[in-house]
Amino acid sequence: DTEVTQTPKHLVMGMTNKKSLKCEQHMGHRAMYWYKQKAKKPPELMFVYSYEKLSINESVPSRFSPECPNSSLLNLHLHALQPEDSALYLCASSQPGQGANEAFFGQGTRLTVV
Amino acid sequence: KQEVTQIPAALSVPEGENLVLNCSFTDSAIYNLQWFRQDPGKGLTSLLLIQSSQREQTSGRLNASLDKSSGRSTLYIAASQPGDSATYLCAVGPPFYNQGGKLIFGQGTELSVKP
């Protein structure tokens, strides 16, 4: 099973709302990632969790708050977003420190901020 | 700073053609290189991964090569089909202890295979 599952698939939220994106994998991977992708652009890294600890924050605004409750789950909490935050949010996982460190991506959450 | 470039940006071919997508990167200190496929509005599907010590990988009609010293990789698609139409992204990754496995992506090649 090489599946990374993201929910919801689509999300529309107002600028004053609080919402969360969820990501789950059961491959035993100990690194999990959030990427943001705007239309016609490549994905850009936001956060990396390694062994459930935040290891990289690519200077992401505090209105995005990641959380890794356990080795299989990754959340992204959203609050007071702006319309320019509308994008496809992708979760990925990999197994660091061994072999190829191949990254597997989920199908993404299409976020629209109104 | 690692930069990844993909050429061409878009490609339209008739069904059945063999084709080559190109990817170049500026820093040869990579751990691996992955090729992904992305359908419109969807996530990324991993096609092939080449570790830095390898020269090529094959999966079905796909063959990816890596020349680390020259900073180049190619993805060869044999006997293209309309179902191959998608955006193809290459991404390079540093060792995990350096930058935590952060993938640096090229801008992608948008492929259209006409019946």
Side-chain angles (χ1 to χ4, degrees):
Chain A
D1 180 10
T2 57
E3 189 171 338
V4 176
T5 303
Q6 290 187 243
T7 55
K9 287 184 170 52
H10 302 275
L11 178 62
V12 178
M13 61 183 291
M15 290 188 284
T16 59
N17 290 160
K18 287 185 180 181
K19 296 287 186 183
S20 297
L21 309 185
K22 298 185 183 302
C23 174
E24 187 169 9
Q25 57 89 14
H26 295 288
M27 293 177 277
H29 289 170
R30 301 307 297 275
M32 296 187 76
Y33 311 77
W34 282 113
Y35 284 82
K36 174 181 177 180
Q37 187 179 27
K38 301 285 277 185
K40 300 291 186 182
K41 297 290 187 183
E44 294 182 339
L45 183 70
M46 300 174 71
F47 302 104
V48 180
Y49 271 84
S50 174
Y51 296 89
E52 295 88 69
K53 294 190 188 308
L54 183 64
S55 59
I56 293 180
N57 176 342
E58 291 283 288
S59 302
V60 178
S62 60
R63 58 185 184 270
F64 295 91
S65 176
E67 178 195 20
C68 189
N70 59 54
S71 61
S72 300
L73 294 174
L74 185 67
N75 298 321
L76 186 63
H77 302 297
L78 314 172
H79 173 56
L81 295 192
Q82 303 297 310
E84 58 265 29
D85 296 321
S86 299
L88 183 67
Y89 288 84
L90 295 163
C91 173
S93 72
S94 71
Q95 182 57 11
Q98 296 179 13
N101 196 37
E102 184 174 4
F104 294 90
F105 282 76
Q107 287 298 299
T109 294
R110 171 70 62 189
L111 174 67
T112 303
V113 182
V114 297
Chain B
K1 178 186 171 186
Q2 179 73 271
E3 293 183 0
V4 181
T5 303
Q6 290 187 245
I7 295 173
L11 183 62
S12 181
V13 299
E15 182 177 4
E17 272 205 6
N18 302 324
L19 54 99
V20 174
L21 308 182
N22 296 291
C23 173
S24 62
F25 47 95
T26 55
D27 185 352
S28 62
I30 65 170
Y31 185 72
N32 61 34
L33 184 146
Q34 274 189 263
W35 282 94
F36 295 93
R37 168 189 172 135
Q38 186 172 32
D39 294 297
K42 303 293 186 182
L44 278 62
T45 299
S46 180
L47 297 174
L48 289 166
L49 176 143
I50 310 178
Q51 292 183 258
S52 61
S53 59
Q54 299 173 325
R55 294 301 297 261
E56 67 177 323
Q57 287 286 342
T58 298
S59 176
R61 294 183 294 108
L62 306 179
N63 175 277
S65 67
L66 174 65
D67 183 342
K68 208 172 76 156
S69 61
S70 67
R72 293 181 183 180
S73 176
T74 61
L75 179 67
Y76 175 83
I77 302 177
S80 59
Q81 303 170 357
D84 295 330
S85 298
T87 296
Y88 290 80
L89 293 156
C90 77
V92 298
F96 193 83
Y97 60 81
N98 179 13
Q99 302 182 55
K102 172 181 178 178
L103 290 175
I104 306 296
F105 286 86
Q107 295 290 317
T109 294
E110 189 172 352
L111 173 66
S112 176
V113 182
K114 305 295 187 185

Coordinates of all heavy atoms in Angstrom, one line a residue, chain A residues 31 33 35 37 40-43 45 48 50 55-56 58 88 90 94 96-108 110, chain B residues 31-32 34 36 38 40-49 51 89 94-96 99-108 110:
Chain A
A31 N 8.7 10.5 7.9 CA 8.8 11.9 7.5 C 7.5 12.2 6.7 O 7.0 11.4 5.9 CB 10.0 12.1 6.6
Y33 N 5.2 15.7 4.9 CA 5.4 17.0 4.4 C 4.1 17.6 4.0 O 3.2 17.0 3.6 CB 6.2 16.8 3.1 CG 7.5 16.0 3.1 CD1 7.4 14.6 3.1 CD2 8.7 16.6 3.2 CE1 8.6 13.8 3.2 CE2 9.9 15.8 3.3 CZ 9.8 14.5 3.2 OH 11.0 13.7 3.3
Y35 N 3.1 20.5 1.1 CA 3.4 21.3 0.0 C 2.2 22.2 -0.5 O 1.1 21.7 -0.3 CB 3.9 20.5 -1.2 CG 5.3 19.9 -1.1 CD1 5.5 18.7 -0.4 CD2 6.4 20.5 -1.8 CE1 6.8 18.1 -0.3 CE2 7.6 19.9 -1.7 CZ 7.8 18.8 -1.0 OH 9.1 18.2 -0.9
Q37 N 0.7 24.2 -3.9 CA 0.8 24.3 -5.3 C -0.2 25.3 -5.9 O -1.4 25.0 -5.8 CB 0.7 22.9 -6.0 CG 1.0 23.0 -7.5 CD 0.9 21.6 -8.1 OE1 0.2 20.7 -7.7 NE2 1.7 21.4 -9.2
K40 N -0.6 26.0 -12.4 CA 0.5 26.0 -13.4 C 1.9 26.2 -12.8 O 2.8 26.6 -13.5 CB 0.2 27.1 -14.4 CG -1.1 27.0 -15.2 CD -1.1 25.8 -16.1 CE -2.3 25.8 -17.0 NZ -2.3 24.6 -17.9
K41 N 2.0 26.0 -11.5 CA 3.3 26.1 -10.8 C 3.7 24.8 -10.2 O 2.8 23.9 -9.9 CB 3.3 27.2 -9.8 CG 3.0 28.6 -10.3 CD 4.2 29.1 -11.1 CE 4.0 30.6 -11.5 NZ 5.1 31.1 -12.3
P42 N 5.0 24.5 -9.9 CA 5.3 23.3 -9.2 C 5.0 23.4 -7.7 O 4.8 24.5 -7.2 CB 6.8 23.2 -9.4 CG 7.3 24.6 -9.6 CD 6.1 25.3 -10.3
P43 N 5.0 22.3 -7.0 CA 4.7 22.3 -5.6 C 5.9 23.0 -4.9 O 7.1 22.9 -5.3 CB 4.7 20.9 -5.2 CG 4.3 20.1 -6.5 CD 5.0 20.9 -7.5
L45 N 7.5 23.5 -0.9 CA 7.5 23.0 0.4 C 7.1 24.0 1.5 O 7.5 25.2 1.4 CB 8.9 22.5 0.8 CG 9.0 21.8 2.2 CD1 8.3 20.4 2.2 CD2 10.5 21.6 2.6
V48 N 8.1 20.2 7.1 CA 8.5 18.9 7.2 C 8.5 18.4 8.6 O 8.9 19.1 9.5 CB 10.0 18.7 6.7 CG1 10.4 17.2 6.8 CG2 10.1 19.1 5.2
S50 N 9.7 15.2 10.9 CA 10.6 14.1 11.0 C 10.4 13.4 12.3 O 10.7 14.1 13.3 CB 12.0 14.5 10.7 OG 12.9 13.4 10.8
S55 N 10.7 19.7 11.7 CA 12.1 19.9 11.4 C 12.3 21.0 10.4 O 13.4 21.6 10.4 CB 12.7 18.6 10.8 OG 12.0 18.2 9.6
I56 N 11.4 21.3 9.6 CA 11.5 22.4 8.6 C 10.2 23.2 8.6 O 9.1 22.7 8.4 CB 11.9 22.0 7.2 CG1 13.3 21.3 7.2 CG2 11.8 23.1 6.2 CD1 13.8 20.8 5.9
E58 N 9.3 26.5 6.2 CA 9.8 27.3 5.1 C 9.2 28.7 5.3 O 8.7 29.3 4.3 CB 9.5 26.7 3.8 CG 10.2 25.4 3.5 CD 11.7 25.7 3.1 OE1 12.0 26.2 2.0 OE2 12.6 25.4 3.9
L88 N -3.8 24.3 -4.2 CA -3.9 22.8 -4.0 C -2.8 22.5 -2.9 O -1.7 22.8 -3.1 CB -3.6 22.0 -5.3 CG -3.7 20.5 -5.2 CD1 -5.1 20.1 -5.0 CD2 -3.1 19.9 -6.5
L90 N -0.9 19.7 -0.9 CA -0.4 18.4 -1.1 C 0.3 17.9 0.2 O 1.2 18.6 0.7 CB 0.5 18.2 -2.3 CG -0.2 18.6 -3.6 CD1 0.9 18.8 -4.7 CD2 -1.1 17.4 -4.1
S94 N 7.7 10.0 3.3 CA 8.8 9.3 2.9 C 9.5 8.6 4.1 O 9.2 9.0 5.2 CB 9.8 10.1 2.1 OG 10.5 11.0 3.0
P96 N 12.9 8.4 5.8 CA 14.2 9.0 5.8 C 15.3 8.0 6.3 O 14.9 7.1 7.1 CB 14.1 10.2 6.8 CG 13.1 9.8 7.7 CD 12.1 9.0 6.9
G97 N 16.5 8.2 5.9 CA 17.6 7.5 6.5 C 17.8 6.1 5.9 O 18.8 5.4 6.3
Q98 N 16.9 5.6 5.1 CA 17.1 4.3 4.5 C 16.8 4.3 3.1 O 15.8 4.9 2.6 CB 16.1 3.3 5.2 CG 16.3 3.1 6.7 CD 15.3 2.1 7.2 OE1 14.6 1.4 6.5 NE2 15.2 2.0 8.5
G99 N 17.7 3.7 2.3 CA 17.4 3.5 0.9 C 17.1 4.8 0.1 O 17.7 5.8 0.4
A100 N 16.1 4.8 -0.7 CA 15.9 5.8 -1.7 C 15.2 7.0 -1.2 O 15.3 8.1 -1.8 CB 15.1 5.2 -2.9
N101 N 14.5 7.0 0.0 CA 13.7 8.1 0.5 C 12.7 8.6 -0.6 O 12.5 9.8 -0.8 CB 14.6 9.2 0.9 CG 13.9 10.2 1.8 OD1 13.0 9.9 2.6 ND2 14.2 11.5 1.6
E102 N 12.0 7.6 -1.2 CA 11.1 8.0 -2.2 C 9.9 8.7 -1.6 O 9.4 8.2 -0.6 CB 10.6 6.7 -3.0 CG 9.6 7.0 -4.1 CD 9.3 5.8 -4.9 OE1 9.8 4.7 -4.6 OE2 8.6 5.9 -6.0
A103 N 9.4 9.8 -2.2 CA 8.3 10.5 -1.7 C 7.0 10.1 -2.4 O 7.0 9.9 -3.6 CB 8.5 12.0 -1.9
F104 N 6.0 9.9 -1.6 CA 4.6 9.5 -2.1 C 3.7 10.7 -1.7 O 3.7 11.1 -0.6 CB 4.2 8.2 -1.5 CG 5.0 7.0 -1.9 CD1 6.1 6.6 -1.2 CD2 4.7 6.3 -3.1 CE1 6.9 5.6 -1.6 CE2 5.4 5.3 -3.5 CZ 6.5 4.9 -2.8
F105 N 2.9 11.1 -2.7 CA 2.0 12.2 -2.5 C 0.5 11.8 -2.4 O 0.2 10.8 -3.1 CB 2.1 13.2 -3.6 CG 3.3 14.1 -3.5 CD1 4.6 13.6 -3.8 CD2 3.2 15.4 -3.1 CE1 5.7 14.4 -3.7 CE2 4.3 16.2 -3.0 CZ 5.6 15.7 -3.3
G106 N -0.3 12.5 -1.7 CA -1.7 12.4 -1.7 C -2.3 13.1 -2.9 O -1.6 13.7 -3.7
Q107 N -3.6 13.0 -3.0 CA -4.4 13.6 -4.1 C -4.6 15.1 -3.9 O -5.1 15.7 -4.8 CB -5.7 12.9 -4.4 CG -5.5 11.5 -5.0 CD -4.9 11.6 -6.4 OE1 -5.4 12.2 -7.3 NE2 -3.6 11.0 -6.5
G108 N -4.3 15.6 -2.7 CA -4.4 17.0 -2.5 C -5.8 17.4 -2.0 O -6.8 16.7 -2.2
R110 N -8.1 20.8 -2.6 CA -8.3 22.1 -3.3 C -8.9 23.1 -2.4 O -10.1 22.9 -2.0 CB -9.1 21.8 -4.5 CG -9.5 23.1 -5.3 CD -8.4 23.8 -6.0 NE -7.8 22.9 -7.0 CZ -6.6 23.2 -7.6 NH1 -5.9 24.3 -7.3 NH2 -6.1 22.4 -8.5
Chain B
Y31 N 20.7 13.5 -3.7 CA 20.6 12.1 -3.1 C 19.7 11.3 -4.1 O 20.0 10.1 -4.2 CB 19.9 12.2 -1.8 CG 19.8 10.9 -1.1 CD1 21.0 10.3 -0.5 CD2 18.6 10.2 -0.9 CE1 20.9 9.1 0.1 CE2 18.5 9.0 -0.3 CZ 19.7 8.4 0.3 OH 19.6 7.2 0.9
N32 N 18.7 11.9 -4.7 CA 17.9 11.2 -5.6 C 17.2 12.1 -6.6 O 17.2 13.3 -6.4 CB 16.9 10.2 -4.9 CG 15.9 11.0 -4.1 OD1 15.5 12.1 -4.4 ND2 15.5 10.4 -3.0
Q34 N 13.4 12.2 -8.7 CA 12.1 11.5 -9.0 C 11.4 12.2 -10.1 O 11.4 13.4 -10.3 CB 11.2 11.6 -7.7 CG 11.4 10.5 -6.7 CD 10.4 10.5 -5.6 OE1 10.6 11.0 -4.5 NE2 9.3 9.9 -5.9
F36 N 7.6 12.5 -11.6 CA 6.2 12.4 -11.2 C 5.3 12.8 -12.4 O 5.6 13.5 -13.3 CB 5.8 13.4 -10.1 CG 6.5 13.2 -8.8 CD1 7.7 13.8 -8.5 CD2 6.0 12.4 -7.8 CE1 8.4 13.6 -7.3 CE2 6.6 12.2 -6.6 CZ 7.8 12.8 -6.4
Q38 N 1.3 14.4 -13.1 CA 0.2 15.0 -12.4 C -0.9 15.3 -13.4 O -0.7 16.0 -14.4 CB 0.7 16.4 -11.8 CG -0.4 17.0 -11.0 CD 0.0 18.2 -10.2 OE1 0.9 19.0 -10.6 NE2 -0.6 18.5 -9.0
P40 N -4.6 17.0 -14.3 CA -5.1 18.3 -13.9 C -5.9 18.3 -12.6 O -6.8 17.5 -12.4 CB -6.0 18.7 -15.1 CG -5.4 18.0 -16.2 CD -4.9 16.7 -15.7
G41 N -5.6 19.1 -11.6 CA -6.3 19.2 -10.4 C -6.0 18.1 -9.4 O -6.7 18.0 -8.4
K42 N -5.1 17.2 -9.8 CA -4.9 16.0 -8.9 C -3.5 16.0 -8.3 O -2.8 17.0 -8.4 CB -4.9 14.7 -9.8 CG -6.2 14.6 -10.6 CD -7.4 14.3 -9.7 CE -8.7 14.0 -10.5 NZ -9.8 13.8 -9.6
G43 N -3.2 15.0 -7.5 CA -2.0 14.9 -6.8 C -0.9 14.4 -7.7 O -1.1 14.3 -8.9
L44 N 0.3 14.1 -7.1 CA 1.4 13.7 -7.9 C 1.5 12.1 -7.7 O 1.4 11.6 -6.6 CB 2.7 14.3 -7.4 CG 3.1 15.7 -7.9 CD1 2.1 16.7 -7.5 CD2 4.5 16.1 -7.3
T45 N 1.8 11.5 -8.9 CA 2.0 10.1 -8.9 C 3.5 9.8 -9.2 O 4.0 10.3 -10.2 CB 1.1 9.4 -10.0 OG1 -0.3 9.6 -9.7 CG2 1.4 7.9 -10.0
S46 N 4.1 9.1 -8.3 CA 5.6 8.8 -8.5 C 5.7 7.8 -9.7 O 5.1 6.7 -9.6 CB 6.2 8.3 -7.2 OG 7.6 8.0 -7.4
L47 N 6.5 8.2 -10.7 CA 6.7 7.3 -11.8 C 8.0 6.5 -11.6 O 8.0 5.2 -11.7 CB 6.8 8.1 -13.1 CG 5.6 8.9 -13.5 CD1 5.8 9.7 -14.7 CD2 4.4 7.9 -13.8
L48 N 9.1 7.2 -11.4 CA 10.4 6.5 -11.3 C 11.3 7.3 -10.3 O 11.2 8.6 -10.3 CB 11.1 6.5 -12.6 CG 10.5 5.5 -13.7 CD1 11.1 5.8 -15.1 CD2 10.9 4.0 -13.3
L49 N 12.1 6.6 -9.6 CA 13.1 7.3 -8.7 C 14.4 6.7 -9.1 O 14.6 5.5 -9.2 CB 12.8 7.0 -7.2 CG 13.8 7.6 -6.2 CD1 13.1 8.1 -5.0 CD2 14.8 6.6 -5.9
Q51 N 18.3 6.8 -7.7 CA 19.2 7.2 -6.6 C 20.5 7.8 -7.3 O 20.8 7.4 -8.4 CB 19.5 6.1 -5.7 CG 18.3 5.7 -4.9 CD 18.7 4.5 -3.9 OE1 18.4 3.4 -4.1 NE2 19.3 4.9 -2.8
L89 N 6.6 16.1 -13.9 CA 7.5 16.9 -13.1 C 8.7 16.1 -12.7 O 8.6 14.9 -12.3 CB 6.8 17.4 -11.8 CG 5.6 18.4 -12.0 CD1 4.6 18.3 -10.9 CD2 6.1 19.8 -12.1
P94 N 17.9 16.4 -1.8 CA 19.2 16.3 -1.1 C 19.2 15.1 -0.1 O 18.1 14.5 0.1 CB 19.3 17.6 -0.3 CG 17.9 17.9 0.0 CD 17.1 17.4 -1.1
P95 N 20.3 14.8 0.5 CA 20.2 13.8 1.6 C 19.3 14.3 2.7 O 19.2 15.5 2.9 CB 21.7 13.7 2.1 CG 22.5 14.2 1.0 CD 21.6 15.2 0.2
F96 N 18.6 13.3 3.4 CA 17.6 13.8 4.3 C 18.2 14.6 5.5 O 17.5 15.5 6.0 CB 16.8 12.6 4.9 CG 15.6 13.0 5.6 CD1 14.4 13.2 5.0 CD2 15.6 13.1 7.0 CE1 13.3 13.6 5.7 CE2 14.5 13.5 7.7 CZ 13.3 13.8 7.0
Q99 N 18.5 19.5 4.7 CA 17.2 20.0 4.2 C 16.0 19.0 4.3 O 15.1 19.2 3.6 CB 17.4 20.5 2.7 CG 18.5 21.5 2.6 CD 18.6 22.0 1.1 OE1 17.6 22.4 0.6 NE2 19.7 21.9 0.5
G100 N 16.2 18.0 5.1 CA 15.0 17.2 5.5 C 14.3 16.6 4.3 O 13.0 16.4 4.4
G101 N 14.9 16.2 3.3 CA 14.2 15.6 2.2 C 13.4 16.5 1.3 O 12.6 16.0 0.5
K102 N 13.7 17.8 1.4 CA 13.0 18.8 0.6 C 13.2 18.5 -0.9 O 14.3 18.5 -1.3 CB 13.4 20.2 1.0 CG 12.9 21.3 0.1 CD 13.5 22.6 0.6 CE 13.0 23.8 -0.3 NZ 13.5 25.1 0.2
L103 N 12.1 18.4 -1.6 CA 12.2 18.2 -3.1 C 12.2 19.5 -3.7 O 11.4 20.4 -3.4 CB 11.1 17.3 -3.6 CG 11.1 15.8 -3.2 CD1 9.8 15.2 -3.6 CD2 12.3 15.2 -3.8
I104 N 13.1 19.7 -4.7 CA 13.1 20.9 -5.6 C 12.6 20.5 -6.9 O 13.2 19.6 -7.6 CB 14.5 21.5 -5.7 CG1 15.1 21.8 -4.3 CG2 14.4 22.8 -6.5 CD1 14.4 22.8 -3.5
F105 N 11.5 21.1 -7.3 CA 10.8 20.7 -8.6 C 11.2 21.6 -9.7 O 11.4 22.8 -9.6 CB 9.3 20.8 -8.4 CG 8.7 19.7 -7.5 CD1 8.6 19.8 -6.1 CD2 8.1 18.6 -8.1 CE1 8.1 18.8 -5.4 CE2 7.6 17.6 -7.3 CZ 7.6 17.7 -6.0
G106 N 11.1 21.0 -10.9 CA 11.1 21.8 -12.1 C 9.8 22.3 -12.4 O 8.8 22.0 -11.7
Q107 N 9.6 23.1 -13.4 CA 8.4 23.8 -13.8 C 7.4 22.8 -14.5 O 6.2 23.1 -14.6 CB 8.6 25.0 -14.6 CG 9.3 26.1 -14.0 CD 8.5 26.8 -12.9 OE1 7.3 27.1 -13.1 NE2 9.1 27.1 -11.8
G108 N 7.9 21.7 -14.9 CA 7.0 20.7 -15.5 C 7.0 20.7 -17.0 O 7.2 21.8 -17.6
E110 N 4.2 19.9 -19.9 CA 2.8 19.5 -20.2 C 2.7 18.7 -21.5 O 3.0 19.3 -22.5 CB 1.9 20.8 -20.2 CG 0.4 20.5 -20.3 CD -0.4 21.8 -20.1 OE1 0.2 22.8 -19.9 OE2 -1.6 21.7 -20.3

